[in-house]
Amino acid sequence: MLEERRVGDVGVWFVGARGSVATTAVTGCAAVAAGLHPPVGMVTETPPFAASGLPSLSSLVFGGHDTAACPLLKRAEELTAAGVLPHGLAAAVHGELTAADTDIRPGGPSAGDTRTDDELVARFAADITGFTHRHGLARTVVINVASTEPAPAPDDPRPAPSSLYAAAALRAGCPYVNFTPSTGARTPALADAFAARGLPHAGRDGKTGQTLLRSVLAPMFTQRALAVRAWSGTNLLGGGDGAALADPAAAAAKNAGKERVLTDTLGHAPEGEVHIDDVPSLGDWKTAWDHVAFDGFLGSRMILQTIWQGCDSALAAPLVLDLARLVARAHETGLSGPLPELGFYFKDPDGGPAALSEQYTALLSFAARLGAAR
């Protein structure tokens, strides 16, 4: 039997609640909270964050929006069959998965949806507010983990779907995190409105694999005064992300963050680009290859190649849980507007340094600041 909710519980409302990342995050949170697995990959479970006043994993309550109808438990079983989740874990935490599933509401806009933008925002906001009130939550953090959408054209009369969800979070009085490359709150009107409402927000585009490695390697070349001539990459992936990124416009939105990390760190855009190929048979697994051409002393030409193989949802889920806890605590302490100190987690952060080591230092300072506000 699920325990009764306690005063001070925190809601985590996922946009894309039945996707791989959200399912892995809900399953993983329950597993770690129950002591079934260690918190591998969760930075907030390391010693520097012990005194930050973050909400506990056991206090997180999950819900969300999705256009898919597959029950969360069934999705967890599919991820188990794909080798993403360990065998037996979905059954061990079926109560938590079932409880979260009852709080997933239909998303949109879907094909044929005739609702206006304001009607969609009002519906989404009502869903979030109802969730918060129903469980007596202290606050709810809205996190976008949906599939990447193409960047809207400048003359597009309608906002991007991700911006409708961001507007709903704003209307519901909730902090917001955009873990995707989609537009979200990155519009002047929404950014100003979040600050005016006293709501913190963070994003954009979670840094989990290839770009994480780039953010470590690029400063090495800069600090060692090695001239990077070209940096090319290829991503092979399947699953929902692979299908979504088969759209050239969506892939372009995704690649913009990967390229920005190099430009910001190296001070120039090297030759080369990133290719993203949908390979359905890979499922939730991804292979990322990088080829770096650089000049050494006296013009000697050198090459560095890297291969990153992993599961994006398993890489992303602990970061999403970190962000939920950090942003909830920031809201509790009265912080508002963009949180550049959380740039450690993003390809396209809201300001701050580009190098991962500097971002980590900023994150530790932020953790201390949260602790001092207790």
Side-chain angles (χ1 to χ4, degrees):
M1 178 180 295
L2 295 177
E3 63 183 53
E4 295 182 1
R5 300 301 182 194
R6 300 170 298 273
V7 175
D9 282 356
V10 170
V12 180
W13 187 267
F14 286 128
V15 179
R18 291 195 167 106
S20 297
V21 173
T23 304
T24 305
V26 174
T27 305
C29 182
V32 174
L36 300 177
H37 286 269
V40 174
M42 290 194 65
V43 180
T44 53
E45 284 294 298
T46 59
F49 296 83
S52 297
L54 304 181
S56 66
L57 292 174
S58 61
S59 74
L60 301 184
V61 184
F62 296 97
H65 283 115
D66 207 310
T67 56
C70 179
L72 209 56
L73 180 58
K74 177 65 175 176
R75 185 72 187 105
E77 291 170 348
E78 292 173 350
L79 291 174
T80 300
V84 177
L85 299 177
H87 286 283
L89 183 56
V93 299
H94 74 278
E96 288 84 348
L97 288 167
T98 301
D101 195 66
T102 63
D103 278 307
I104 297 177
R105 299 292 179 263
S110 301
D113 197 330
T114 60
R115 289 175 292 179
T116 66
D117 295 338
D118 191 66
E119 287 172 336
L120 286 164
V121 171
R123 178 67 266 165
F124 298 158
D127 291 337
I128 299 168
T129 301
F131 167 74
T132 303
H133 290 167
R134 187 163 56 253
H135 293 291
L137 304 174
R139 57 189 44 81
T140 295
V141 179
V142 177
I143 304 181
N144 182 18
V145 290
S147 297
T148 300
E149 65 189 16
D155 59 349
D156 196 327
R158 299 195 69 174
S162 61
S163 294
L164 297 178
Y165 287 110
L170 175 67
R171 188 173 297 190
C174 297
Y176 174 79
V177 176
N178 187 6
F179 202 73
T180 80
S182 302
T183 304
R186 285 285 182 90
T187 70
L190 284 174
D192 291 344
F194 269 96
R197 283 288 305 273
L199 295 171
H201 59 91
R204 175 173 63 171
D205 198 3
K207 183 164 53 184
T208 56
Q210 183 182 46
T211 309
L212 174 65
L213 195 58
R214 286 180 166 211
S215 68
V216 173
L217 292 175
M220 175 194 73
F221 289 108
T222 300
Q223 293 163 7
R224 290 293 299 271
L226 298 169
V228 175
R229 293 184 289 108
W231 200 314
S232 301
T234 295
N235 278 261
L236 307 176
L237 70 161
D241 276 351
L245 295 173
D247 178 350
K254 183 73 172 178
N255 284 337
K258 295 177 180 292
E259 295 165 358
R260 188 177 296 106
V261 167
L262 296 182
T263 301
D264 290 348
T265 306
L266 299 175
H268 71 282
E271 296 176 2
E273 55 187 32
V274 177
H275 296 275
I276 299 178
D277 295 329
D278 178 26
V279 184
S281 63
L282 289 177
D284 287 278
W285 297 85
K286 180 172 77 173
T287 296
W289 170 75
D290 271 59
H291 182 281
V292 188
F294 63 100
D295 291 338
F297 192 51
L298 303 179
S300 58
R301 295 201 163 190
M302 306 186 198
I303 298 293
L304 172 68
Q305 294 186 2
T306 66
I307 298 176
W308 178 288
Q309 294 179 306
C311 174
D312 255 4
S313 57
L315 291 165
L319 307 185
V320 167
L321 294 173
D322 277 353
L323 286 163
R325 302 172 78 194
L326 289 163
V327 174
R329 176 60 177 155
H331 185 232
E332 181 184 10
T333 62
L335 296 179
S336 65
L339 300 175
E341 299 91 343
L342 300 186
F344 174 79
Y345 291 98
F346 298 104
K347 299 181 182 73
D348 183 16
D350 295 310
L356 190 70
S357 59
E358 295 173 350
Q359 290 175 335
Y360 181 64
T361 299
L363 179 63
L364 294 184
S365 297
F366 184 66
R369 181 181 174 191
L370 294 179
R374 299 186 74 168

